Amino acid sequence: MLHTVAKMHYLGEMSQVQIAKQLGLSTATISRLLQRARAEGIVRIEVRDIYAPDELGLELARKLGLAQVEVVDAPVSGALAVPLSRMLTAADLRAGEVLMIGWGRTVSAVIEAGLPPMPGVLVVPSTGGMQQHAQHFQSNEFARRAAEVTGGVPHFIHAPYLPDPEALAFFLADSSVQDSVGLWDRIDAAVVGIGQPYGLERAVSGGAAPVEPALANAAGDVVRHYFTRDGQVLDWRGEGQMIAVSAQQLRATPLVIGLAVGEAKLTSILGAARSRLITALITDTRTAEALLESLVHGA
């Protein structure tokens, strides 16, 4: 009876008077049954904590082990440009220092929304080119556009991101490629997208490589460095063979800002933070709240 009354009231949204009439009981009896259902744990009422964006960011940074987390109310990727500009301005990059730009829809949106002036900063892409026609895969174009809006100096990598093994040395021997990839050893700040779990990523974008069985458990990626939700970087055919900034170079970078929006990326954000491929995160309120809830409950 306790279970029946509780379901009718809390799930069926029936009033106590309606339940009393349907079951042939008094309203006072229904009230007592509902109180008893709560007392015996049949009904659990939870009031979720509501955080202001700043508080949410501080709490997430603490739990994820990141230097900084910025949270915005708007779930639109372009809205991330405001806190991104604050972070880059605080980094105080000077002429001759290196800014690396990743790729992806979110990175594209923040570049179009605007980046702060950084005159003379050397802007380099995170990878060679990809055999994808979509705009959000064009790494060299991202570097060119970011340099244009910041007043920086663009550097390009005229080579595929994943060449055939026998061609890798040929591309890396090119002096212009050497000049650009050499900048990865001294990156001062980087802006990267956090990719979705491998299966979801391929469903949305068609993937940038053939199906990789080694990536079946990939929670996400940063610059095609795929990782599990626990932060283990996976060994797939491209790891160590890509013309891309390495995981070690990312970990040596003082500021790597990861961008991610959407609850589909919760495990991706967790894995990126735990792998230490990012040092900071910018996301939206809904994603941040879901992420914090999963961390609090140990999901």
Side-chain angles (χ1 to χ4, degrees):
M1 180 63 74
L2 293 175
H3 187 260
T4 298
V5 171
K7 286 186 67 176
M8 293 172 74
H9 182 63
Y10 292 105
L11 299 182
E13 298 183 347
M14 296 175 64
S15 70
Q16 294 184 26
V17 173
Q18 290 172 320
I19 297 171
K21 287 182 179 179
Q22 185 165 324
L23 298 181
L25 300 170
S26 69
T27 303
T29 298
I30 298 300
S31 178
R32 285 194 297 271
L33 289 171
L34 289 173
Q35 290 176 7
R36 187 175 165 189
R38 292 195 296 270
E40 295 189 9
I42 293 173
V43 173
R44 292 192 299 269
I45 297 176
E46 178 183 12
V47 179
R48 292 179 57 194
D49 290 328
I50 301 297
Y51 293 87
D54 288 348
E55 296 173 335
L56 190 54
L58 289 172
E59 185 66 10
L60 270 181
R62 185 179 68 83
K63 289 189 175 295
L64 291 173
L66 297 175
Q68 187 175 1
V69 175
E70 288 272 1
V71 179
V72 298
D73 286 325
V76 181
S77 298
L80 307 188
V82 174
L84 175 60
S85 291
R86 285 200 299 266
M87 283 191 186
L88 291 175
T89 299
D92 194 26
L93 300 186
R94 306 297 178 89
E97 295 185 319
V98 179
L99 172 67
M100 191 199 77
I101 296 291
W103 49 270
R105 291 181 176 86
T106 308
V107 176
S108 176
V110 296
I111 293 174
E112 290 307 310
L115 296 174
M118 292 178 279
V121 164
L122 309 181
V123 183
V124 64
S126 60
T127 70
M130 298 185 185
Q131 293 180 330
Q132 297 284 330
H133 298 297
Q135 188 271 338
H136 58 273
F137 284 116
Q138 308 308 314
S139 55
N140 282 329
E141 174 59 16
F142 278 28
R144 185 201 68 78
R145 181 70 179 123
E148 182 179 62
V149 299
T150 60
V153 180
H155 287 255
F156 306 115
I157 300 173
H158 298 296
Y161 101 98
L162 189 58
D164 293 332
E166 58 272 16
L168 178 61
F170 169 79
F171 284 112
L172 291 178
D174 182 270
S175 60
S176 66
V177 173
Q178 288 179 359
D179 290 343
S180 293
V181 302
L183 295 176
W184 291 336
D185 286 325
R186 58 183 192 92
I187 304 169
D188 296 285
V191 179
V192 297
I194 300 175
Q196 298 183 97
Y198 184 65
L200 292 177
E201 170 209 52
R202 292 190 60 80
V204 172
S205 68
V211 175
E212 297 286 346
L215 300 179
N217 296 321
D221 78 283
V222 171
V223 193
R224 292 298 186 214
H225 297 295
Y226 291 90
F227 44 75
T228 65
R229 64 174 291 133
D230 295 324
Q232 177 189 354
V233 175
L234 296 170
D235 185 15
W236 67 290
R237 74 183 184 94
E239 193 64 35
Q241 297 182 33
M242 296 183 291
I243 298 179
V245 62
S246 70
Q248 292 74 22
Q249 287 167 325
L250 283 172
R251 288 169 179 153
T253 300
L255 177 63
V256 182
I257 305 168
L259 309 177
V261 172
E263 294 186 50
K265 292 192 175 183
L266 295 187
T267 58
S268 309
I269 296 170
L270 284 174
R274 290 167 176 168
S275 67
R276 295 185 295 111
L277 296 179
I278 61 171
T279 65
L281 170 69
I282 302 177
T283 188
D284 69 296
T285 302
R286 184 170 180 177
T287 304
E289 288 178 342
L291 182 58
L292 184 57
E293 186 174 352
S294 71
L295 288 166
V296 168
H297 291 90

